[in-house]
Amino acid sequence: MKIPDFKEAKKRTKEEIKILKNEYNIPDDMKDYGKNKKYFVKTYGCQMNEHDSEVISAILEDMKFTKTDYYEDADLIILNTCAIRENAHNKTFGMLGRIKHLKQEKTNLMVGLAGCMSQEESVVNEIIDKYKWMDFVFGTHNIHKLPEILKEHTKSKKLEVNVWSNEGNVIEGLPSKRDSKYKAWVNIMYGCDKFCTYCIVPYTRGKQRSRMPEDIIDEVKNLVKDGYKEVTLLGQNVNAYGKDFKEKDYKMENLLEDVAKTGIDRVRFVTSHPWDFTDKMIDVIAKYDNICNYIHLPVQSGSSKILKLMGRRYSKESYLELYKKIRNKLGSDASITTDIIVGFPGEDEKDFEETLSLAEECKFDSAFTFIYSPREGTPAAKMVDNVSKEEKEKRLYRLNDVINKYAKEANDKYVGKTVKVLVESVSEKDNSMLAGYTDTMKLVNVKADKKYIGQIINVKIEDAKTWSLDGTIDE
Ligand code: SAH
Ligand code: SF4
Ligand code: F3S
C-alpha cells in the first residue's frame, strides 16, 4: 500500500527531471485481462483530467476492455476525480454511494478511484476506513502503472492503494483514446510550482515538469497526419513552459511558434498565468494566424490586497496593464476570458467592488466565477474565513450579472459577421443544427448539412445569446 503524503507532495527538489520513454508496458498475463469486459470512466475535472481519462481509456483498451457509456453496464468503473473545490468532492462521494448499491448486485464489478482526490491524504484515509468495498486507488503520477495495479489487485483481492506523492519525471509513450477526431488535448507540461495559497493543484499534480519540445512537436505532427484540425496545449501554467529546462533556453513563445509551423489549423493553449506572460509570447500569437485569438487569463480578484493574500504575484494595476497590452496587440476581435474567486478570506465589500470594477473595465468575453472553497493543507485554509455563506452567494450573483452583461455585449458584436467555425457535432440543444467553436472560443449553432462535421466552415452569424451564437453556413 502506498498512501499519499502532503508533506512529500509539497517538496520541490532541484533534481533533474527525467524523461522516461519505456515505463508503460502491459505484463503478459494482463494482455487479455479485459476480454469480454466493459469499462466506464467518469471525468470530474479540468482539461488535463479529461486528457488523463483518454489515457486511462487507451490503457484499458490495450488490455482489451471495451467502452460503455453506462456505468450500470460496466465491469470496471474508474472515477477520475477533481479536488479543486468542495463540490467536486461531494459529486464523487455521491457517485460512490450509487456505485456501492450496484456492487452489491454485481459482485464482480471492479471500482477504482483516480485523479486529484486520490492524491489527498484525507480522501484516501476515508476510502480505507469507509469504502473497503472499493478495489483500487491510483493517482495522477502513476496512470501508466494501471495494468500492474489491476494485476496486484487480482492477486490480493483487497483494496489496492498505490499513490505516489512526489514525482519528478515525465512519462512519454502513453497511449491515448481521444474523444474527438478533430480536436486534441496535448500536454506540454505537468504540475505547478506557483502555490497560490488557495489552490490544491501543486500538491495533487506535483512539481512543474515540461515535456521535451521534440516530443510535443512529434505528437502534433502525428495529429495533423491523422486529420486533426485543432490542438490545445495543456498545462496549469503554460506560460512557464520550459522554465524548468536546465540546459536549453526554449520557452513558451518558441514552442507556440514551432507548433504553429506544423501547419495545424488551430492552436490553443490553457491556462495562462498573468505572471509569466511575456511580450514575445504576445508577438508570436499576433504573428501566426493559426494561433487562436483566445486568451484565458485568470485574474482571481480585482483587489491587490486579496491578490497578495492569494499569492498571485501581480496587482490589479499590473494585470490591467498586461490585459491592455494583449488587447492592443491582438485587436478588439480577440477574446479574453478569466477566472474569478469571490469570498476569499479577508475580502471585504471594498475589495469585492474592486473586482467588479475590474470586470467592468476588462469587459471579459466570459468568465468562470467561483465561491472560495477552503482546501485542506493549503495556506489559505488556515486563514480566517470571515465572509458568510450568504454574502459569498450574493457577491457571486452580483459578479455574474456584470460578467453576463459583457458576455452578451461581446457576442452581439458578431451579428452580421462571417466567422470560421470548426464544426464538431450535432447541436445538443437542437438536433437540426450543428455546433462548433470560432477561434475565439464562441459556441456557434449553425444550420448546415451534417457532412460539414469535422470541417472549418464560414458561418454568417444571425443572432447572439449570452453564451452562444446562431448562424447559417456561408458557402
Ligand atoms: N492553473 C490555473 C487554474 C486552475 S484551477 C491558473 O492558475 O489560472 C481553475 C480555477 O479554479 C482557478 O483559476 C480558480 O479560479 C479556481 N479555484 C482554484 N482553487 C479554488 C478554491 N480553493 N476555491 C474556489 N475556486 C478555486
Ligand atoms: Fe493553482 Fe495557482 Fe498553480 Fe493555477 S497557478 S494551478 S491557481 S497554484
Ligand atoms: Fe481538478 Fe486536478 Fe484539474 S484538482 S482542476 S482535476 S488539476
Side-chain angles (χ1 to χ4, degrees):
M1 204 177 281
K2 215 168 169 189
I3 293 176
D5 174 344
F6 260 24
K7 268 202 209 89
E8 274 298 306
K10 202 154 99 183
K11 277 190 200 151
R12 292 296 183 264
T13 59
K14 291 248 168 337
E15 247 168 74
E16 182 103 44
I17 291 156
K18 287 197 218 73
I19 310 289
L20 305 175
K21 300 220 168 181
N22 297 309
E23 289 297 292
Y24 168 62
N25 39 55
I26 300 177
D28 280 342
D29 51 353
M30 293 302 284
K31 289 196 165 129
D32 287 329
Y33 182 71
K35 219 172 182 173
N36 303 322
K37 290 190 195 126
K38 290 189 198 136
Y39 75 91
F40 173 86
V41 179
K42 176 134 180 93
T43 312
Y44 290 89
C46 58
Q47 293 99 330
M48 205 163 289
N49 202 231
E50 269 181 48
H51 186 48
D52 287 347
S53 288
E54 294 181 333
V55 174
I56 293 171
S57 298
I59 294 176
L60 293 174
E61 295 196 9
D62 279 354
M63 284 186 282
K64 306 215 172 45
F65 279 92
T66 46
K67 187 183 163 177
T68 170
D69 292 329
Y70 306 97
Y71 78 94
E72 297 90 338
D73 288 346
D75 303 287
L76 171 70
I77 297 177
I78 294 181
L79 302 186
N80 190 14
T81 61
C82 172
I84 201 87
R85 283 170 292 274
E86 187 66 37
N87 60 355
H89 264 231
N90 297 345
K91 276 191 213 156
T92 296
F93 280 111
M95 183 69 177
L96 280 178
R98 290 196 288 282
I99 295 173
K100 186 181 177 184
H101 287 293
L102 189 65
K103 182 136 171 146
Q104 280 158 355
E105 292 160 24
K106 234 176 138 169
T107 46
N108 284 335
L109 173 66
M110 284 203 295
V111 184
L113 194 80
C116 285
M117 277 171 68
S118 296
Q119 297 290 145
E120 291 184 280
E121 272 169 58
S122 57
V123 169
V124 173
N125 287 331
E126 192 171 343
I127 300 281
I128 293 170
D129 263 5
K130 300 191 194 135
Y131 294 77
K132 285 193 186 66
W133 56 268
M134 288 185 68
D135 297 283
F136 58 98
V137 178
F138 64 103
T140 58
H141 300 305
N142 59 345
I143 294 176
H144 60 291
K145 291 290 179 194
L146 179 56
E148 274 105 322
I149 292 166
L150 289 174
K151 182 173 168 167
E152 281 306 311
H153 173 263
T154 318
K155 272 198 271 170
S156 73
K157 306 254 183 305
K158 281 203 296 252
L159 172 63
E160 180 70 28
V161 178
N162 190 338
V163 180
W164 305 355
S165 289
N166 204 337
E167 184 49 272
N169 299 329
V170 170
I171 313 290
E172 287 295 340
L174 293 180
S176 173
K177 183 182 188 294
R178 300 188 187 271
D179 286 335
S180 163
K181 293 203 286 278
Y182 321 117
K183 54 179 202 179
W185 308 117
V186 175
N187 279 325
I188 62 168
M189 63 205 293
Y190 302 96
C192 179
D193 289 344
K194 284 282 185 282
F195 286 99
C196 302
T197 58
Y198 51 82
C199 184
I200 195 93
V201 173
Y203 309 83
T204 63
R205 294 269 167 181
K207 89 173 188 191
Q208 170 170 329
R209 286 108 63 209
S210 300
R211 286 179 73 197
M212 285 295 140
E214 51 277 18
D215 291 328
I216 300 168
I217 306 292
D218 277 353
E219 187 173 341
V220 177
K221 282 185 178 158
N222 282 327
L223 288 164
V224 175
K225 238 188 268 161
D226 291 343
Y228 278 83
K229 299 270 193 289
E230 180 179 306
V231 289
T232 303
L233 309 179
L234 289 181
Q236 286 302 340
N237 173 18
V238 290
N239 306 13
Y241 173 81
K243 281 185 145 187
D244 50 314
F245 290 149
K246 293 234 163 84
E247 273 152 29
K248 31 169 155 293
D249 181 20
Y250 187 96
K251 300 274 163 29
M252 186 57 178
E253 58 263 19
N254 308 105
L255 181 69
L256 270 178
E257 185 150 26
D258 284 341
V259 172
K261 283 181 183 160
T262 63
I264 186 126
D265 291 274
R266 286 179 170 183
V267 182
R268 298 189 191 282
F269 54 95
V270 279
T271 298
S272 294
H273 187 299
W275 173 255
D276 297 300
F277 218 116
T278 62
D279 289 356
K280 283 188 187 151
M281 257 185 79
I282 307 174
D283 290 340
V284 172
I285 300 166
K287 181 172 163 197
Y288 288 89
D289 275 351
N290 58 347
I291 303 180
C292 292
N293 275 337
Y294 163 71
I295 315 279
H296 185 60
L297 195 66
V299 64
Q300 314 299 1
S301 168
S303 151
S304 296
K305 175 189 110 189
I306 297 298
L307 286 170
K308 195 151 189 214
L309 288 173
M310 288 176 161
R312 288 291 287 186
R313 309 170 193 215
Y314 53 83
S315 61
K316 180 183 195 180
E317 292 69 32
S318 59
Y319 181 90
L320 286 171
E321 203 180 304
L322 173 65
Y323 183 93
K324 283 174 195 155
K325 206 177 342 174
I326 296 174
R327 271 258 174 263
N328 287 341
K329 268 269 162 73
L330 302 186
S332 58
D333 289 347
S335 157
I336 305 181
T337 59
T338 199
D339 291 346
I340 298 173
I341 299 175
V342 300
F344 189 79
E347 183 188 77
D348 57 26
E349 176 61 23
K350 225 174 96 228
D351 297 310
F352 177 65
E353 280 167 14
E354 299 257 21
T355 298
L356 288 181
S357 86
L358 180 127
E360 292 279 356
E361 194 165 345
C362 293
K363 303 181 171 49
F364 294 107
D365 281 77
S366 80
F368 294 109
T369 54
F370 309 103
I371 287 179
Y372 166 68
S373 172
R375 307 318 291 135
E376 202 183 319
T378 62
K382 296 192 196 83
M383 299 177 190
V384 183
D385 189 0
N386 58 341
V387 189
S388 70
K389 189 167 169 281
E390 293 71 38
E391 185 54 36
K392 283 177 184 156
E393 279 165 3
K394 253 194 239 158
R395 285 182 193 169
L396 186 71
Y397 199 78
R398 287 165 66 197
L399 175 62
N400 284 345
D401 260 358
V402 177
I403 296 296
N404 295 354
K405 179 174 79 184
Y406 291 112
K408 176 74 165 63
E409 223 169 72
N411 278 354
D412 282 341
K413 287 195 209 134
Y414 281 74
V415 177
K417 283 191 186 160
T418 297
V419 289
K420 288 201 177 335
V421 174
L422 168 55
V423 182
E424 288 173 19
S425 59
V426 170
S427 164
E428 272 175 27
K429 282 202 186 125
D430 174 352
N431 59 19
S432 70
M433 307 269 271
L434 305 178
Y437 288 87
T438 62
D439 85 322
T440 52
M441 208 61 169
K442 303 285 177 192
L443 172 63
V444 181
N445 292 305
V446 50
K447 264 192 222 99
D449 191 278
K450 284 200 178 82
K451 70 177 184 201
Y452 292 109
I453 293 179
Q455 294 186 31
I456 296 176
I457 59 171
N458 286 322
V459 176
K460 176 129 198 257
I461 302 300
E462 284 152 354
D463 192 21
K465 309 201 169 82
T466 307
W467 303 122
S468 65
L469 302 166
D470 287 339
T472 29
I473 183 165
D474 195 356
E475 274 163 306

